[in-house]
PDB file of all heavy atoms in Angstrom:
ATOM      1  N   ARG X 182     141.679 214.546 -59.110  1.00 56.00           N
ATOM      2  CA  ARG X 182     142.212 213.599 -60.046  1.00 56.00           C
ATOM      3  C   ARG X 182     143.473 214.015 -60.657  1.00 56.00           C
ATOM      4  O   ARG X 182     143.589 215.368 -60.839  1.00 56.00           O
ATOM      5  CB  ARG X 182     141.180 213.327 -61.087  1.00 56.00           C
ATOM      6  CG  ARG X 182     139.994 212.628 -60.484  1.00 56.00           C
ATOM      7  CD  ARG X 182     138.871 212.350 -61.540  1.00 56.00           C
ATOM      8  NE  ARG X 182     139.165 211.316 -62.450  1.00 56.00           N
ATOM      9  CZ  ARG X 182     139.417 211.413 -63.693  1.00 56.00           C
ATOM     10  NH1 ARG X 182     139.517 212.619 -64.234  1.00 56.00           N
ATOM     11  NH2 ARG X 182     139.721 210.471 -64.436  1.00 56.00           N
ATOM     12  N   THR X 183     144.314 213.129 -60.979  1.00 54.00           N
ATOM     13  CA  THR X 183     145.618 213.587 -61.656  1.00 54.00           C
ATOM     14  C   THR X 183     145.271 214.003 -63.175  1.00 54.00           C
ATOM     15  O   THR X 183     144.609 213.296 -63.849  1.00 54.00           O
ATOM     16  CB  THR X 183     146.603 212.406 -61.753  1.00 54.00           C
ATOM     17  OG1 THR X 183     146.694 211.934 -60.346  1.00 54.00           O
ATOM     18  CG2 THR X 183     147.981 212.729 -62.160  1.00 54.00           C
ATOM     19  N   LEU X 184     145.810 215.071 -63.517  1.00 55.00           N
ATOM     20  CA  LEU X 184     145.455 215.546 -64.945  1.00 55.00           C
ATOM     21  C   LEU X 184     146.698 215.036 -65.799  1.00 55.00           C
ATOM     22  O   LEU X 184     147.777 214.843 -65.426  1.00 55.00           O
ATOM     23  CB  LEU X 184     145.411 217.095 -64.869  1.00 55.00           C
ATOM     24  CG  LEU X 184     144.513 217.746 -64.086  1.00 55.00           C
ATOM     25  CD1 LEU X 184     144.516 219.164 -64.142  1.00 55.00           C
ATOM     26  CD2 LEU X 184     142.963 217.187 -64.453  1.00 55.00           C
ATOM     27  N   ILE X 185     146.359 215.065 -67.062  1.00 49.00           N
ATOM     28  CA  ILE X 185     147.380 214.629 -68.096  1.00 49.00           C
ATOM     29  C   ILE X 185     148.572 215.484 -68.027  1.00 49.00           C
ATOM     30  O   ILE X 185     149.679 215.068 -68.099  1.00 49.00           O
ATOM     31  CB  ILE X 185     146.656 214.542 -69.636  1.00 49.00           C
ATOM     32  CG1 ILE X 185     145.501 213.628 -69.483  1.00 49.00           C
ATOM     33  CG2 ILE X 185     147.769 214.167 -70.680  1.00 49.00           C
ATOM     34  CD1 ILE X 185     144.584 213.838 -70.683  1.00 49.00           C
ATOM     35  N   ARG X 186     148.305 216.800 -67.929  1.00 51.00           N
ATOM     36  CA  ARG X 186     149.444 217.791 -67.922  1.00 51.00           C
ATOM     37  C   ARG X 186     149.016 218.992 -67.078  1.00 51.00           C
ATOM     38  O   ARG X 186     147.723 219.115 -66.885  1.00 51.00           O
ATOM     39  CB  ARG X 186     149.831 218.156 -69.237  1.00 51.00           C
ATOM     40  CG  ARG X 186     148.758 218.869 -70.010  1.00 51.00           C
ATOM     41  CD  ARG X 186     149.133 219.199 -71.454  1.00 51.00           C
ATOM     42  NE  ARG X 186     147.934 219.322 -72.206  1.00 51.00           N
ATOM     43  CZ  ARG X 186     147.167 220.389 -72.150  1.00 51.00           C
ATOM     44  NH1 ARG X 186     147.471 221.379 -71.431  1.00 51.00           N
ATOM     45  NH2 ARG X 186     146.056 220.444 -72.990  1.00 51.00           N
ATOM     46  N   PRO X 187     149.944 219.806 -66.623  1.00 54.00           N
ATOM     47  CA  PRO X 187     149.496 220.882 -65.721  1.00 54.00           C
ATOM     48  C   PRO X 187     148.481 221.811 -66.339  1.00 54.00           C
ATOM     49  O   PRO X 187     148.630 222.172 -67.620  1.00 54.00           O
ATOM     50  CB  PRO X 187     150.705 221.628 -65.490  1.00 54.00           C
ATOM     51  CG  PRO X 187     151.806 220.697 -65.785  1.00 54.00           C
ATOM     52  CD  PRO X 187     151.372 219.710 -66.623  1.00 54.00           C
ATOM     53  N   GLY X 188     147.374 222.087 -65.730  1.00 55.00           N
ATOM     54  CA  GLY X 188     146.336 222.861 -66.309  1.00 55.00           C
ATOM     55  C   GLY X 188     145.306 222.113 -67.305  1.00 55.00           C
ATOM     56  O   GLY X 188     144.552 222.877 -67.799  1.00 55.00           O
ATOM     57  N   ALA X 189     145.508 221.020 -67.533  1.00 56.00           N
ATOM     58  CA  ALA X 189     144.620 220.316 -68.620  1.00 56.00           C
ATOM     59  C   ALA X 189     143.274 220.207 -68.040  1.00 56.00           C
ATOM     60  O   ALA X 189     143.098 220.180 -66.772  1.00 56.00           O
ATOM     61  CB  ALA X 189     145.126 218.820 -68.854  1.00 56.00           C
ATOM     62  N   PRO X 190     142.169 220.260 -68.911  1.00 55.00           N
ATOM     63  CA  PRO X 190     140.939 220.137 -68.436  1.00 55.00           C
ATOM     64  C   PRO X 190     140.687 218.808 -67.751  1.00 55.00           C
ATOM     65  O   PRO X 190     141.107 217.849 -68.151  1.00 55.00           O
ATOM     66  CB  PRO X 190     139.939 220.270 -69.702  1.00 55.00           C
ATOM     67  CG  PRO X 190     140.893 219.935 -70.748  1.00 55.00           C
ATOM     68  CD  PRO X 190     142.248 220.151 -70.364  1.00 55.00           C
ATOM     69  N   CYS X 191     139.904 218.857 -66.717  1.00 59.00           N
ATOM     70  CA  CYS X 191     139.659 217.620 -65.924  1.00 59.00           C
ATOM     71  C   CYS X 191     138.533 216.850 -66.624  1.00 59.00           C
ATOM     72  O   CYS X 191     137.279 217.462 -66.775  1.00 59.00           O
ATOM     73  CB  CYS X 191     139.268 217.974 -64.439  1.00 59.00           C
ATOM     74  SG  CYS X 191     138.822 216.468 -63.568  1.00 59.00           S
ATOM     75  N   MET X 192     138.741 215.597 -66.971  1.00 51.00           N
ATOM     76  CA  MET X 192     137.767 214.900 -67.632  1.00 51.00           C
ATOM     77  C   MET X 192     136.498 214.706 -66.760  1.00 51.00           C
ATOM     78  O   MET X 192     135.407 214.532 -67.167  1.00 51.00           O
ATOM     79  CB  MET X 192     138.339 213.481 -68.059  1.00 51.00           C
ATOM     80  CG  MET X 192     139.173 213.527 -69.334  1.00 51.00           C
ATOM     81  SD  MET X 192     139.542 212.030 -69.838  1.00 51.00           S
ATOM     82  CE  MET X 192     140.997 211.656 -68.873  1.00 51.00           C
ATOM     83  N   LYS X 193     136.794 214.636 -65.559  1.00 57.00           N
ATOM     84  CA  LYS X 193     135.755 214.340 -64.573  1.00 57.00           C
ATOM     85  C   LYS X 193     134.815 215.588 -64.525  1.00 57.00           C
ATOM     86  O   LYS X 193     133.572 215.369 -64.441  1.00 57.00           O
ATOM     87  CB  LYS X 193     136.373 214.107 -63.182  1.00 57.00           C
ATOM     88  CG  LYS X 193     135.545 213.621 -62.099  1.00 57.00           C
ATOM     89  CD  LYS X 193     135.386 212.134 -62.135  1.00 57.00           C
ATOM     90  CE  LYS X 193     134.116 211.793 -61.497  1.00 57.00           C
ATOM     91  NZ  LYS X 193     133.688 210.496 -61.884  1.00 57.00           N
ATOM     92  N   CYS X 194     135.360 216.715 -64.460  1.00 59.00           N
ATOM     93  CA  CYS X 194     134.633 217.837 -64.264  1.00 59.00           C
ATOM     94  C   CYS X 194     134.017 218.418 -65.573  1.00 59.00           C
ATOM     95  O   CYS X 194     133.573 219.584 -65.659  1.00 59.00           O
ATOM     96  CB  CYS X 194     135.378 218.927 -63.547  1.00 59.00           C
ATOM     97  SG  CYS X 194     135.879 218.335 -61.897  1.00 59.00           S
ATOM     98  N   GLU X 195     134.118 217.752 -66.697  1.00 57.00           N
ATOM     99  CA  GLU X 195     133.558 218.210 -67.911  1.00 57.00           C
ATOM    100  C   GLU X 195     131.970 218.215 -67.728  1.00 57.00           C
ATOM    101  O   GLU X 195     131.373 217.683 -66.938  1.00 57.00           O
ATOM    102  CB  GLU X 195     133.801 217.184 -69.076  1.00 57.00           C
ATOM    103  CG  GLU X 195     135.128 217.540 -69.646  1.00 57.00           C
ATOM    104  CD  GLU X 195     135.400 216.544 -70.765  1.00 57.00           C
ATOM    105  OE1 GLU X 195     135.075 215.434 -70.581  1.00 57.00           O
ATOM    106  OE2 GLU X 195     136.020 216.971 -71.776  1.00 57.00           O
ATOM    107  N   SER X 196     131.255 218.884 -68.762  1.00 56.00           N
ATOM    108  CA  SER X 196     129.878 218.962 -68.680  1.00 56.00           C
ATOM    109  C   SER X 196     129.220 217.712 -69.003  1.00 56.00           C
ATOM    110  O   SER X 196     129.700 216.762 -69.474  1.00 56.00           O
ATOM    111  CB  SER X 196     129.371 220.085 -69.868  1.00 56.00           C
ATOM    112  OG  SER X 196     129.476 219.348 -71.084  1.00 56.00           O
ATOM    113  N   LYS X 197     127.905 217.694 -68.469  1.00 58.00           N
ATOM    114  CA  LYS X 197     126.987 216.471 -68.614  1.00 58.00           C
ATOM    115  C   LYS X 197     126.868 216.153 -69.981  1.00 58.00           C
ATOM    116  O   LYS X 197     126.831 214.971 -70.433  1.00 58.00           O
ATOM    117  CB  LYS X 197     125.844 216.539 -67.887  1.00 58.00           C
ATOM    118  CG  LYS X 197     126.094 216.563 -66.438  1.00 58.00           C
ATOM    119  CD  LYS X 197     124.842 216.918 -65.527  1.00 58.00           C
ATOM    120  CE  LYS X 197     125.208 216.820 -64.036  1.00 58.00           C
ATOM    121  NZ  LYS X 197     124.204 217.353 -63.165  1.00 58.00           N
ATOM    122  N   ASP X 198     126.727 217.087 -70.946  1.00 62.00           N
ATOM    123  CA  ASP X 198     126.595 216.857 -72.373  1.00 62.00           C
ATOM    124  C   ASP X 198     127.660 216.007 -72.905  1.00 62.00           C
ATOM    125  O   ASP X 198     127.505 214.988 -73.788  1.00 62.00           O
ATOM    126  CB  ASP X 198     126.500 218.126 -73.113  1.00 62.00           C
ATOM    127  CG  ASP X 198     125.372 218.942 -72.801  1.00 62.00           C
ATOM    128  OD1 ASP X 198     124.286 218.343 -72.178  1.00 62.00           O
ATOM    129  OD2 ASP X 198     125.239 220.176 -73.046  1.00 62.00           O
ATOM    130  N   ALA X 199     128.863 216.423 -72.494  1.00 64.00           N
ATOM    131  CA  ALA X 199     129.981 215.625 -72.953  1.00 64.00           C
ATOM    132  C   ALA X 199     129.948 214.144 -72.448  1.00 64.00           C
ATOM    133  O   ALA X 199     130.340 213.257 -73.246  1.00 64.00           O
ATOM    134  CB  ALA X 199     131.354 216.273 -72.327  1.00 64.00           C
ATOM    135  N   VAL X 200     129.305 213.992 -71.365  1.00 65.00           N
ATOM    136  CA  VAL X 200     129.199 212.541 -70.870  1.00 65.00           C
ATOM    137  C   VAL X 200     128.233 211.821 -71.725  1.00 65.00           C
ATOM    138  O   VAL X 200     128.530 210.648 -72.053  1.00 65.00           O
ATOM    139  CB  VAL X 200     128.685 212.535 -69.443  1.00 65.00           C
ATOM    140  CG1 VAL X 200     128.385 211.158 -68.887  1.00 65.00           C
ATOM    141  CG2 VAL X 200     129.648 213.104 -68.465  1.00 65.00           C
ATOM    142  N   ILE X 201     127.113 212.384 -72.106  1.00 68.00           N
ATOM    143  CA  ILE X 201     126.127 211.762 -72.802  1.00 68.00           C
ATOM    144  C   ILE X 201     126.807 211.415 -74.255  1.00 68.00           C
ATOM    145  O   ILE X 201     126.594 210.418 -74.839  1.00 68.00           O
ATOM    146  CB  ILE X 201     124.896 212.639 -73.052  1.00 68.00           C
ATOM    147  CG1 ILE X 201     124.191 212.768 -71.653  1.00 68.00           C
ATOM    148  CG2 ILE X 201     123.920 212.188 -74.059  1.00 68.00           C
ATOM    149  CD1 ILE X 201     123.142 213.722 -71.540  1.00 68.00           C
ATOM    150  N   GLN X 202     127.536 212.428 -74.705  1.00 71.00           N
ATOM    151  CA  GLN X 202     128.139 212.111 -75.981  1.00 71.00           C
ATOM    152  C   GLN X 202     129.128 211.017 -76.012  1.00 71.00           C
ATOM    153  O   GLN X 202     129.291 210.223 -76.811  1.00 71.00           O
ATOM    154  CB  GLN X 202     129.041 213.449 -76.436  1.00 71.00           C
ATOM    155  CG  GLN X 202     128.329 214.432 -77.185  1.00 71.00           C
ATOM    156  CD  GLN X 202     129.170 215.604 -77.455  1.00 71.00           C
ATOM    157  OE1 GLN X 202     130.333 215.677 -77.378  1.00 71.00           O
ATOM    158  NE2 GLN X 202     128.349 216.685 -77.739  1.00 71.00           N
ATOM    159  N   LYS X 203     129.863 210.944 -74.819  1.00 72.00           N
ATOM    160  CA  LYS X 203     130.954 209.882 -74.713  1.00 72.00           C
ATOM    161  C   LYS X 203     130.164 208.516 -74.621  1.00 72.00           C
ATOM    162  O   LYS X 203     130.596 207.550 -75.256  1.00 72.00           O
ATOM    163  CB  LYS X 203     131.705 209.985 -73.416  1.00 72.00           C
ATOM    164  CG  LYS X 203     132.900 210.847 -73.536  1.00 72.00           C
ATOM    165  CD  LYS X 203     133.661 210.918 -72.272  1.00 72.00           C
ATOM    166  CE  LYS X 203     134.674 212.139 -72.304  1.00 72.00           C
ATOM    167  NZ  LYS X 203     135.041 212.445 -70.958  1.00 72.00           N
ATOM    168  N   LEU X 204     129.145 208.483 -73.969  1.00 74.00           N
ATOM    169  CA  LEU X 204     128.345 207.167 -73.870  1.00 74.00           C
ATOM    170  C   LEU X 204     127.532 206.944 -75.157  1.00 74.00           C
ATOM    171  O   LEU X 204     127.344 205.739 -75.451  1.00 74.00           O
ATOM    172  CB  LEU X 204     127.486 207.161 -72.525  1.00 74.00           C
ATOM    173  CG  LEU X 204     128.238 207.111 -71.195  1.00 74.00           C
ATOM    174  CD1 LEU X 204     127.363 207.325 -70.067  1.00 74.00           C
ATOM    175  CD2 LEU X 204     129.049 205.885 -71.114  1.00 74.00           C
ATOM    176  N   GLY X 205     127.192 208.026 -75.705  1.00 75.00           N
ATOM    177  CA  GLY X 205     126.374 207.956 -77.030  1.00 75.00           C
ATOM    178  C   GLY X 205     127.069 207.070 -78.030  1.00 75.00           C
ATOM    179  O   GLY X 205     126.491 206.324 -78.960  1.00 75.00           O
ATOM    180  N   LYS X 206     128.450 206.909 -77.947  1.00 79.00           N
ATOM    181  CA  LYS X 206     129.222 206.236 -79.056  1.00 79.00           C
ATOM    182  C   LYS X 206     128.961 204.721 -79.008  1.00 79.00           C
ATOM    183  O   LYS X 206     129.109 204.118 -79.972  1.00 79.00           O
ATOM    184  CB  LYS X 206     130.741 206.476 -78.773  1.00 79.00           C
ATOM    185  CG  LYS X 206     131.239 205.776 -77.729  1.00 79.00           C
ATOM    186  CD  LYS X 206     132.760 205.675 -77.681  1.00 79.00           C
ATOM    187  CE  LYS X 206     133.344 204.767 -76.581  1.00 79.00           C
ATOM    188  NZ  LYS X 206     134.684 204.699 -76.469  1.00 79.00           N
ATOM    189  N   TYR X 207     128.370 204.362 -77.894  1.00 81.00           N
ATOM    190  CA  TYR X 207     128.082 202.862 -77.845  1.00 81.00           C
ATOM    191  C   TYR X 207     126.771 202.482 -78.567  1.00 81.00           C
ATOM    192  O   TYR X 207     126.743 201.459 -79.124  1.00 81.00           O
ATOM    193  CB  TYR X 207     127.889 202.464 -76.294  1.00 81.00           C
ATOM    194  CG  TYR X 207     129.215 202.399 -75.677  1.00 81.00           C
ATOM    195  CD1 TYR X 207     129.622 203.549 -74.944  1.00 81.00           C
ATOM    196  CD2 TYR X 207     129.957 201.305 -75.778  1.00 81.00           C
ATOM    197  CE1 TYR X 207     130.876 203.448 -74.288  1.00 81.00           C
ATOM    198  CE2 TYR X 207     131.206 201.234 -75.150  1.00 81.00           C
ATOM    199  CZ  TYR X 207     131.620 202.424 -74.398  1.00 81.00           C
ATOM    200  OH  TYR X 207     132.825 202.321 -73.755  1.00 81.00           O
ATOM    201  N   ILE X 208     126.022 203.523 -79.070  1.00 80.00           N
ATOM    202  CA  ILE X 208     124.855 203.179 -79.705  1.00 80.00           C
ATOM    203  C   ILE X 208     125.035 203.334 -81.361  1.00 80.00           C
ATOM    204  O   ILE X 208     124.429 202.835 -82.140  1.00 80.00           O
ATOM    205  CB  ILE X 208     123.617 204.016 -79.416  1.00 80.00           C
ATOM    206  CG1 ILE X 208     123.873 205.417 -79.576  1.00 80.00           C
ATOM    207  CG2 ILE X 208     123.012 203.612 -78.051  1.00 80.00           C
ATOM    208  CD1 ILE X 208     122.599 206.243 -79.365  1.00 80.00           C
ATOM    209  N   MET X 209     126.205 204.071 -81.645  1.00 85.00           N
ATOM    210  CA  MET X 209     126.473 204.203 -83.092  1.00 85.00           C
ATOM    211  C   MET X 209     126.602 202.976 -83.808  1.00 85.00           C
ATOM    212  O   MET X 209     126.056 202.892 -84.998  1.00 85.00           O
ATOM    213  CB  MET X 209     127.799 205.145 -83.096  1.00 85.00           C
ATOM    214  CG  MET X 209     127.643 206.529 -82.793  1.00 85.00           C
ATOM    215  SD  MET X 209     126.128 207.338 -83.327  1.00 85.00           S
ATOM    216  CE  MET X 209     126.581 207.781 -84.948  1.00 85.00           C
ATOM    217  N   PRO X 210     127.300 201.907 -83.421  1.00 88.00           N
ATOM    218  CA  PRO X 210     127.403 200.721 -84.240  1.00 88.00           C
ATOM    219  C   PRO X 210     126.162 200.118 -84.600  1.00 88.00           C
ATOM    220  O   PRO X 210     125.917 199.412 -85.477  1.00 88.00           O
ATOM    221  CB  PRO X 210     128.295 199.722 -83.359  1.00 88.00           C
ATOM    222  CG  PRO X 210     128.922 200.566 -82.454  1.00 88.00           C
ATOM    223  CD  PRO X 210     127.946 201.881 -82.227  1.00 88.00           C
ATOM    224  N   TYR X 211     125.016 200.463 -83.802  1.00 87.00           N
ATOM    225  CA  TYR X 211     123.784 199.948 -83.971  1.00 87.00           C
ATOM    226  C   TYR X 211     122.676 200.777 -84.581  1.00 87.00           C
ATOM    227  O   TYR X 211     121.634 200.660 -84.498  1.00 87.00           O
ATOM    228  CB  TYR X 211     123.260 199.151 -82.662  1.00 87.00           C
ATOM    229  CG  TYR X 211     124.358 198.346 -82.149  1.00 87.00           C
ATOM    230  CD1 TYR X 211     125.072 198.725 -81.081  1.00 87.00           C
ATOM    231  CD2 TYR X 211     124.565 197.022 -82.807  1.00 87.00           C
ATOM    232  CE1 TYR X 211     126.070 197.920 -80.533  1.00 87.00           C
ATOM    233  CE2 TYR X 211     125.687 196.322 -82.206  1.00 87.00           C
ATOM    234  CZ  TYR X 211     126.414 196.727 -81.156  1.00 87.00           C
ATOM    235  OH  TYR X 211     127.390 196.006 -80.722  1.00 87.00           O
ATOM    236  N   LYS X 212     123.240 201.881 -85.141  1.00 85.00           N
ATOM    237  CA  LYS X 212     122.386 202.890 -85.651  1.00 85.00           C
ATOM    238  C   LYS X 212     121.351 202.407 -86.661  1.00 85.00           C
ATOM    239  O   LYS X 212     120.199 202.789 -86.809  1.00 85.00           O
ATOM    240  CB  LYS X 212     123.063 204.228 -86.087  1.00 85.00           C
ATOM    241  CG  LYS X 212     124.064 204.130 -87.106  1.00 85.00           C
ATOM    242  CD  LYS X 212     124.666 205.437 -87.461  1.00 85.00           C
ATOM    243  CE  LYS X 212     125.590 205.441 -88.670  1.00 85.00           C
ATOM    244  NZ  LYS X 212     126.963 204.842 -88.414  1.00 85.00           N
ATOM    245  N   GLY X 213     121.900 201.499 -87.599  1.00 88.00           N
ATOM    246  CA  GLY X 213     121.005 200.749 -88.651  1.00 88.00           C
ATOM    247  C   GLY X 213     119.796 200.145 -87.917  1.00 88.00           C
ATOM    248  O   GLY X 213     118.580 200.490 -88.380  1.00 88.00           O
ATOM    249  N   ILE X 214     120.005 199.311 -86.964  1.00 87.00           N
ATOM    250  CA  ILE X 214     118.906 198.578 -86.393  1.00 87.00           C
ATOM    251  C   ILE X 214     117.869 199.658 -85.667  1.00 87.00           C
ATOM    252  O   ILE X 214     116.735 199.536 -85.689  1.00 87.00           O
ATOM    253  CB  ILE X 214     119.409 197.554 -85.235  1.00 87.00           C
ATOM    254  CG1 ILE X 214     120.326 196.623 -85.882  1.00 87.00           C
ATOM    255  CG2 ILE X 214     118.271 196.920 -84.548  1.00 87.00           C
ATOM    256  CD1 ILE X 214     120.976 195.607 -84.969  1.00 87.00           C
ATOM    257  N   LEU X 215     118.670 200.622 -85.010  1.00 84.00           N
ATOM    258  CA  LEU X 215     117.875 201.530 -84.102  1.00 84.00           C
ATOM    259  C   LEU X 215     117.001 202.428 -85.109  1.00 84.00           C
ATOM    260  O   LEU X 215     115.758 202.730 -84.879  1.00 84.00           O
ATOM    261  CB  LEU X 215     118.787 202.340 -83.376  1.00 84.00           C
ATOM    262  CG  LEU X 215     119.467 201.679 -82.253  1.00 84.00           C
ATOM    263  CD1 LEU X 215     120.374 202.614 -81.463  1.00 84.00           C
ATOM    264  CD2 LEU X 215     118.608 201.052 -81.275  1.00 84.00           C
ATOM    265  N   PHE X 216     117.468 202.827 -86.310  1.00 87.00           N
ATOM    266  CA  PHE X 216     116.741 203.548 -87.255  1.00 87.00           C
ATOM    267  C   PHE X 216     115.490 202.784 -87.794  1.00 87.00           C
ATOM    268  O   PHE X 216     114.392 203.205 -87.965  1.00 87.00           O
ATOM    269  CB  PHE X 216     117.470 204.077 -88.424  1.00 87.00           C
ATOM    270  CG  PHE X 216     118.177 205.365 -88.235  1.00 87.00           C
ATOM    271  CD1 PHE X 216     119.504 205.621 -88.187  1.00 87.00           C
ATOM    272  CD2 PHE X 216     117.383 206.596 -87.853  1.00 87.00           C
ATOM    273  CE1 PHE X 216     120.192 206.666 -87.982  1.00 87.00           C
ATOM    274  CE2 PHE X 216     118.005 207.755 -87.617  1.00 87.00           C
ATOM    275  CZ  PHE X 216     119.384 207.930 -87.707  1.00 87.00           C
ATOM    276  N   PHE X 217     115.739 201.491 -88.050  1.00 89.00           N
ATOM    277  CA  PHE X 217     114.756 200.574 -88.487  1.00 89.00           C
ATOM    278  C   PHE X 217     113.667 200.540 -87.531  1.00 89.00           C
ATOM    279  O   PHE X 217     112.475 200.601 -87.805  1.00 89.00           O
ATOM    280  CB  PHE X 217     115.345 199.152 -88.812  1.00 89.00           C
ATOM    281  CG  PHE X 217     114.365 198.065 -89.191  1.00 89.00           C
ATOM    282  CD1 PHE X 217     113.727 198.311 -90.231  1.00 89.00           C
ATOM    283  CD2 PHE X 217     114.162 197.015 -88.290  1.00 89.00           C
ATOM    284  CE1 PHE X 217     112.686 197.233 -90.674  1.00 89.00           C
ATOM    285  CE2 PHE X 217     113.220 195.894 -88.616  1.00 89.00           C
ATOM    286  CZ  PHE X 217     112.623 196.185 -89.677  1.00 89.00           C
ATOM    287  N   CYS X 218     114.064 200.393 -86.177  1.00 86.00           N
ATOM    288  CA  CYS X 218     113.059 200.289 -85.071  1.00 86.00           C
ATOM    289  C   CYS X 218     112.260 201.489 -85.094  1.00 86.00           C
ATOM    290  O   CYS X 218     111.088 201.563 -84.694  1.00 86.00           O
ATOM    291  CB  CYS X 218     113.747 199.950 -83.808  1.00 86.00           C
ATOM    292  SG  CYS X 218     114.506 198.280 -83.720  1.00 86.00           S
ATOM    293  N   LEU X 219     112.955 202.644 -85.130  1.00 83.00           N
ATOM    294  CA  LEU X 219     112.251 204.018 -85.138  1.00 83.00           C
ATOM    295  C   LEU X 219     111.235 204.033 -86.282  1.00 83.00           C
ATOM    296  O   LEU X 219     110.103 204.477 -85.990  1.00 83.00           O
ATOM    297  CB  LEU X 219     113.352 205.033 -85.361  1.00 83.00           C
ATOM    298  CG  LEU X 219     112.965 206.420 -84.864  1.00 83.00           C
ATOM    299  CD1 LEU X 219     112.717 206.391 -83.477  1.00 83.00           C
ATOM    300  CD2 LEU X 219     114.136 207.378 -85.266  1.00 83.00           C
ATOM    301  N   PHE X 220     111.529 203.545 -87.497  1.00 87.00           N
ATOM    302  CA  PHE X 220     110.674 203.564 -88.588  1.00 87.00           C
ATOM    303  C   PHE X 220     109.559 202.755 -88.234  1.00 87.00           C
ATOM    304  O   PHE X 220     108.293 203.277 -88.495  1.00 87.00           O
ATOM    305  CB  PHE X 220     111.411 202.964 -89.823  1.00 87.00           C
ATOM    306  CG  PHE X 220     110.509 202.694 -90.919  1.00 87.00           C
ATOM    307  CD1 PHE X 220     109.882 203.853 -91.629  1.00 87.00           C
ATOM    308  CD2 PHE X 220     110.156 201.458 -91.503  1.00 87.00           C
ATOM    309  CE1 PHE X 220     109.082 203.546 -92.815  1.00 87.00           C
ATOM    310  CE2 PHE X 220     109.380 201.170 -92.456  1.00 87.00           C
ATOM    311  CZ  PHE X 220     108.693 202.309 -93.099  1.00 87.00           C
ATOM    312  N   LEU X 221     109.634 201.517 -87.576  1.00 88.00           N
ATOM    313  CA  LEU X 221     108.572 200.701 -87.182  1.00 88.00           C
ATOM    314  C   LEU X 221     107.641 201.404 -86.130  1.00 88.00           C
ATOM    315  O   LEU X 221     106.508 201.331 -86.146  1.00 88.00           O
ATOM    316  CB  LEU X 221     109.009 199.382 -86.552  1.00 88.00           C
ATOM    317  CG  LEU X 221     109.793 198.496 -87.531  1.00 88.00           C
ATOM    318  CD1 LEU X 221     110.258 197.144 -86.895  1.00 88.00           C
ATOM    319  CD2 LEU X 221     108.980 198.202 -88.804  1.00 88.00           C
TER     320      LEU X 221
END
Side-chain angles (χ1 to χ4, degrees):
Chain X
R182 294 171 80 249
T183 311
L184 304 176
I185 300 162
R186 60 186 158 75
C191 174
M192 284 190 272
K193 186 91 203 160
C194 299
E195 272 182 324
S196 75
K197 287 174 182 169
D198 294 346
V200 174
I201 294 170
Q202 268 176 26
K203 270 181 199 165
L204 291 171
K206 75 170 189 183
Y207 287 95
I208 57 172
M209 289 316 280
Y211 309 106
K212 58 177 187 283
I214 300 178
L215 295 176
F216 272 121
F217 175 64
C218 291
L219 199 62
F220 171 69
L221 297 182

